[in-house]
Amino acid sequence: METPFPPYEPNGPNDEARGPRLREIPLRIVIPNVITVLAICAGLTGIRLAFENRYELAVGMVLLAAFLDGIDGRVARLLKATSKFGGQMDSLADIVNFGVAPALVLYVFILDQARSFGWIAALIYAIAAGLRLARFNVMAERETKAQWQSEYFVGVPAPAGAMLVLLPVYIGFLGVPPSPLFAFLASGYTVVIGFLLVSRLPVWSGKSEGSRIRRDLVLPGILLVVLYVATLMSFTWETMVVTVLAYLVTLPFGARSWKRKYGGWSAPVTPAASEFPETDGH
C-alpha cells in the first residue's frame, strides 16, 4: 500500500529549512546584499565593455565594482545587518570583481597580443585572486589570531591587486602603443602581481589603533584627500599610475616595519596546513 505524503505545513520544519520568505527579511538586511549584486553587475559590465573595445568605461566599471564591494560590508555593519548569507555573497562578488573582471579586461586590452603567454598570465592572476580570498576567509574564521593580524594583511589584498594589475591598461591610456613587447612585459607584470596576492608578505592594512590621525593633522589630511580626488578627476590615468607605483614602493617598508615589531615568520599561530582545512589529517 502506498504511503501518502504528510500534509504540508506552511510554517513546519520542512518549510523553514528552505530559508525565510522574501517578505520576512528586513529591508536593512536586503540593502547590503543589493550593493553586492550591483558590484557584480558592474564587474560583469566591465568585461562586456572590454570586449566592445570601450576600454576606459570598462576600467571605470571594474573600479566602481571594487568601490561598491568595499562599502557593502561597512554598510552592513552600520545597519547592524551582517549575515552569513551576505558574507557568502560578498566572497562570490570578490572573485568576479577582483579576479575574473580585471584579468579579462587586461587580456582583451593587451595580453592577447602575447597569445598563450598572455592567457596563462591572466589565468594565473585570476586563480591567485581566488586563492587569496579563500585564505583570507579561512584566516578570518580562526579562533586564535596573532596580534599583528589587526595591523597587517598576509599578501596584497585582492582589491589592491585588482588596482595594481591594471597598470598596463593605465599606461596604455597615456599613449603607450600596445606592441607585442609591451604585451609580454605586461604578462610578466601580471604574474608578479598574482604572486604578491598569494605570498606571505606582510602588508600594512591601516586598521590598527596606532594608525589614527592626530587631531592637528585632521584638516591637512582632509585637504590631501580633496587634492587627490581632484587630481583623480582631472588627470585620471596619470593619478592611477602614480597611485600604483606608490603602493608598490610602500610594500618593502611595510614588511620591514612588520619584521621590526614581530620578527620573522618562523613562529606561526597555527600550522600552515590549517589554511587548507580540507587537507588536514590526510
Side-chain angles (χ1 to χ4, degrees), residues 195-215:
F195 172 76
L196 289 176
L197 289 175
V198 298
S199 70
R200 303 182 71 210
L201 180 74
V203 179
W204 185 60
S205 66
K207 298 179 180 179
S208 64
E209 293 292 330
S211 61
R212 293 180 179 179
I213 301 177
R214 297 199 327 245
R215 292 194 176 190

Side-chain angles (χ1 to χ4, degrees), residues 20-84:
R21 294 179 175 85
L22 185 59
R23 65 175 180 271
E24 298 173 351
I25 303 176
L27 181 61
R28 63 183 176 83
I29 295 180
V30 174
I31 291 176
N33 292 310
V34 170
I35 296 176
T36 303
V37 171
L38 291 176
I40 296 175
C41 292
L44 294 176
T45 302
I47 296 173
R48 174 194 171 182
L49 292 171
F51 280 106
E52 294 177 352
N53 297 328
R54 300 159 69 182
Y55 297 115
E56 293 196 11
L57 286 176
V59 174
M61 293 303 292
V62 171
L63 296 178
L64 175 62
F67 171 76
L68 293 174
D69 199 275
I71 67 172
D72 57 359
R74 290 174 174 81
V75 171
R77 289 188 290 271
L78 181 65
L79 298 177
K80 296 181 179 180
T82 57
S83 64
K84 291 184 178 180

Side-chain angles (χ1 to χ4, degrees), residues 172-197:
F173 291 160
L174 295 179
V176 176
S179 62
L181 176 60
F182 185 31
F184 280 102
L185 292 175
S187 299
Y189 172 79
T190 303
V191 173
V192 171
I193 298 301
F195 172 76
L196 289 176
L197 289 175

